[in-house]
Amino acid sequence: MKLPGPANTFPHKFLCIMMLTVPSLLLAGCNTTAPMATALPAALPSLTPTQPVETTVTLTPPAAETLLRESISPDERWKAQVYLTGTGSAQSVRFVVSNDAGALTWEVERQPFSDSHPGGFAFPRSLHWSADGRYLYFSHLSTGDGCYAGDLPAGDSIQRVDLASGQVKNIAPGGRYIRFSPDDRYLAAFAYGSNALEIYSLDGKLQTSFQALLDSTQVGMELDWRYPIWSPDGDALIYSIVSGVCDQWQGYQSWIVRADLDDQTQTFLVEADDRLLTPLAWSEPERILVRSLDQHTFWMDASDGRLTPIE
């Protein structure tokens, strides 16, 4: 017969049974697959909210562009436009030729702008659209200074734009009072320095040069050669010589000269006239329209210079 002891008492047995049964019941209700071990980082990252990154963006405004000059072809299909583009030291001058509202556009040239030249910047200037619609002739004209300043048909380096290809060709060295003959065969200009009236064909060949008939030492005043006008057939020109150019219109006299290409001769039609006659048009073969300083108009005979007042 066993003596009762701690291990055999009822409470002790009940406690042992419960210790074995409860874990078994708990394990039976769980997933018996062992979980994967996850290694924790030694230190958790900071949970500080992300701050916006500040970036400086420089917005470049569109370049300012100012239309300075525009020429439209006789058939109104083509435009030649000169623009001043940009601001400050980054300014440039663009010369653009386009047709039919920009269907075809040629940027003939672009050059940096500078206002440091004593005579002013030489801007592109349209001179003449050819009658056949193939070419535009242009030069570069500065603003000038003193009594020779003004918007004259003049410039350095007469050039030609082929409107079909955009190609540019040099035609003549340039000059003052550039004029194209009615039949598009020639151009005339007074050469810088010598004041000779030079005639070029439109393919760039010098045809003839009419030397100045007067010299300032003969007259005792400064002289200016002006207003060449072609005859209707393009075989002759007339032009005027004016004295006292910078004398505030005091003591002026004028001469009118006829120059014939066929025999390369020059003839005075008017000499030392104090009415300051200016040729306006040579639309009829035998007579030329002229006007005096006091606004009286005359018909001048194209052969001998006889004047007939126009009532």
Side-chain angles (χ1 to χ4, degrees), residues 59-77:
L59 297 178
T60 303
E65 192 160 63
T66 303
L67 178 63
L68 301 179
R69 184 171 287 157
E70 182 177 78
S71 175
I72 300 176
S73 64
D75 62 6
E76 299 185 351
R77 288 194 59 199

Side-chain angles (χ1 to χ4, degrees), residues 102-307:
L104 180 63
T105 299
W106 306 115
E107 185 174 76
V108 179
E109 65 179 36
R110 180 194 290 261
Q111 53 183 323
F113 172 74
S114 172
D115 58 1
S116 61
H117 193 281
F121 184 82
F123 290 93
R125 177 192 174 93
S126 300
L127 296 171
H128 177 69
W129 299 91
S130 65
D132 59 10
R134 295 178 59 191
Y135 303 112
L136 168 65
Y137 296 83
F138 72 98
S139 65
H140 293 82
L141 178 67
S142 64
T143 53
D145 58 1
C147 56
Y148 289 97
D151 194 25
L152 302 177
D156 298 322
S157 181
I158 302 171
Q159 300 177 69
R160 182 179 73 191
V161 183
D162 187 320
L163 299 178
S165 66
Q167 293 183 339
V168 178
K169 177 181 178 180
N170 288 324
I171 299 297
R176 299 172 57 250
Y177 287 99
I178 301 166
R179 294 285 189 254
F180 290 77
S181 64
D183 54 9
D184 269 358
R185 286 187 298 160
Y186 306 114
L187 67 85
F190 292 113
Y192 289 121
S194 69
N195 291 315
L197 180 62
E198 295 183 338
I199 311 297
Y200 285 84
S201 63
L202 295 193
D203 60 2
K205 296 177 182 177
L206 178 64
Q207 299 298 304
T208 190
S209 179
F210 293 102
Q211 299 304 307
L213 290 182
L214 284 179
D215 185 270
S216 60
T217 59
Q218 298 173 262
V219 180
M221 291 183 178
E222 287 293 322
L223 297 175
D224 190 23
W225 282 254
R226 299 179 175 181
Y227 313 126
I229 295 180
W230 285 94
S231 63
D233 59 9
D235 289 333
L237 301 97
I238 58 166
Y239 63 90
S240 66
I241 305 172
V242 181
S243 66
V245 179
C246 292
D247 295 336
Q248 301 298 319
W249 296 96
Q250 300 298 316
Y252 271 7
Q253 290 181 318
S254 66
W255 291 255
I256 294 181
V257 180
R258 173 172 173 153
D260 286 279
L261 273 65
D262 289 341
D263 56 11
Q264 299 188 22
T265 59
Q266 296 188 87
T267 307
F268 282 114
L269 297 180
V270 173
E271 295 187 68
D273 193 289
D274 58 8
R275 290 171 291 183
L276 284 167
L277 298 172
T278 300
L280 300 179
W282 193 350
S283 56
E284 301 179 32
E286 303 302 326
R287 61 182 188 173
I288 301 161
L289 182 65
V290 300
R291 183 176 61 200
S292 64
L293 182 60
D294 59 6
Q295 303 302 305
H296 289 96
T297 53
F298 304 85
W299 286 115
M300 184 175 70
D301 189 287
S303 300
D304 58 21
R306 285 182 297 116
L307 296 171

Side-chain angles (χ1 to χ4, degrees), residues 75-108:
D75 62 6
E76 299 185 351
R77 288 194 59 199
W78 290 88
K79 287 183 179 180
Q81 297 167 310
V82 179
Y83 291 97
L84 182 63
T85 301
T87 57
S89 61
Q91 286 182 304
S92 61
V93 175
R94 297 175 60 231
F95 182 36
V96 179
V97 179
S98 61
N99 79 338
D100 299 335
L104 180 63
T105 299
W106 306 115
E107 185 174 76
V108 179

Side-chain angles (χ1 to χ4, degrees), residues 39-61:
L40 295 177
L44 292 176
S46 173
L47 298 179
T48 303
T50 303
Q51 299 298 318
V53 178
E54 294 186 0
T55 302
T56 301
V57 178
T58 302
L59 297 178
T60 303

